[in-house]
Amino acid sequence: MEKLVIDVVSDVVCPWCYLGKARLEKALAEVEPQGIAADVTFRPFQLNPDFPPEGVDQRAHLAAKFGGEEALDRAHAQLTELGKEDGLDYHFDKIKIGPNTLDAHRLIHWAMQEGNDVHLRAVDLLFKANFEEGRNVGDPAVLLDIGQQAGLDRAVVERLLYSDADKDTIKQEIEQAQKMGVSGVPFIIIDQKYAVSGAQPAQVLANAFRQIAAEKERGSANLN
C-alpha cells in the first residue's frame, strides 16, 4: 500500500474548497482499492482576513465583489449544480453573515491535536454548518457546538476560544502558504512535492495520485 501525505490549503467559507473536498474524497475512494491510501490534513487560509470578528453582510459583500446581485446569483446557481454532482447541498440563501474564519481555523488546529478522525470531522462539520445550514462559523457559540460534535472537550474549547491561543500559529501558517505561492484555494500539496490548484475533478485527482504512487513505488524499487 502506497501512502500519500496530502495537505489541503483551504478556507471553510470558500465554496470551491467545499467542492474540492468532496472531489478529493471521491478520488481517494477510487484509488484505495488499487492500494493507494492517504493522510489528509486541512491547512488554514483566509479569504477575508480583514473581516471584523462579528462578520459582515454576506450578500452585500459578495454582490459588490461579483459586480451585482445578478452575477452573484449566476455564480451561486453554477456552484449549486456542480455541488449536486458531487453530493453537496449548497444553500447560499441561508448564509447571512460572512464571518472572519480565524477562530474556525483555530478549532481545526485543536481538533488536529486530538487525531486525524476528529480533525476531518471538525472540517466537515464547519463546511456543512456554513454552506448547508447557514450558521455563522465565526460565532463562538456555533464553534463550541461544532467542536463538541467533532469530539472535543467543550470546556477546553471554550477556554481556548476566549483566549488568543494559537492565533499567531494560524497566521504564520497562512503566511507560509502565501510565501510558497498559494494565492487561491483550494490548493492541494502531495508529499510536499507536487501541487494541484483549484477544485479539480475527482478523475484528475485520482490520475495524479496513481502517477505519484507509481513514481514512489519505482523509487522504492530502485533503492532495493
Side-chain angles (χ1 to χ4, degrees):
M1 174 85 63
E2 285 295 335
K3 177 70 76 81
L4 304 178
V5 175
I6 297 175
D7 291 288
V8 185
V9 184
S10 76
D11 197 357
V12 294
V13 293
C14 164
W16 292 99
C17 293
Y18 195 21
L19 187 65
K21 175 180 172 293
R23 290 174 170 180
L24 171 62
E25 288 164 357
K26 195 181 276 189
L28 289 172
E30 184 180 321
V31 299
E32 190 179 5
Q34 295 153 18
I36 302 167
D39 283 330
V40 180
T41 304
F42 281 80
R43 303 292 181 184
F45 195 87
Q46 281 196 281
L47 293 178
N48 304 296
D50 300 328
F51 277 8
E54 69 274 14
V56 302
D57 181 309
Q58 172 80 344
R59 188 162 179 84
H61 164 74
L62 288 179
K65 183 178 174 180
F66 279 84
E69 298 212 350
E70 282 185 23
L72 174 61
D73 288 339
R74 280 197 301 273
H76 280 169
Q78 180 202 12
L79 272 159
T80 301
E81 282 308 305
L82 287 171
K84 280 177 187 168
E85 290 170 21
D86 286 294
L88 301 182
D89 191 17
Y90 287 109
H91 284 285
F92 292 105
D93 55 316
K94 291 184 181 179
I95 307 170
K96 306 303 180 192
I97 301 293
N100 185 304
T101 56
L102 180 61
D103 285 347
H105 287 301
R106 288 202 294 157
L107 183 67
I108 291 168
H109 177 74
W110 301 326
M112 197 189 305
Q113 293 166 358
E114 296 299 317
N116 201 243
D117 286 352
V118 179
H119 168 67
L120 294 178
R121 198 154 54 237
V123 170
D124 195 50
L125 288 166
L126 283 162
F127 273 121
K128 274 199 172 80
N130 183 71
F131 286 111
E132 299 189 15
E133 298 160 9
R135 293 162 79 197
N136 176 6
V137 294
D139 181 344
V142 172
L143 293 174
L144 279 172
D145 287 345
I146 289 172
Q148 186 173 7
Q149 209 178 334
L152 293 164
D153 184 301
R154 189 182 182 93
V156 172
V157 173
E158 185 167 21
R159 190 171 70 246
L160 291 168
L161 269 179
Y162 287 101
S163 74
D164 289 332
D166 296 309
K167 283 184 180 178
D168 287 343
T169 303
I170 300 301
K171 288 174 182 174
Q172 283 164 10
E173 204 169 333
I174 293 170
E175 202 177 303
Q176 194 178 345
Q178 289 167 334
K179 281 179 182 169
M180 283 171 53
V182 179
S183 58
V185 287
F187 193 89
I188 296 175
I189 303 161
I190 307 153
D191 284 351
Q192 298 185 321
K193 283 169 67 179
Y194 310 92
V196 180
S197 181
Q200 297 296 332
Q203 201 56 56
V204 171
L205 291 173
N207 288 339
F209 297 153
R210 279 191 280 263
Q211 286 174 1
I212 293 164
E215 278 179 33
K216 284 181 80 168
E217 200 173 340
R218 280 197 297 272
S220 300
N222 290 339
L223 289 172
N224 294 331

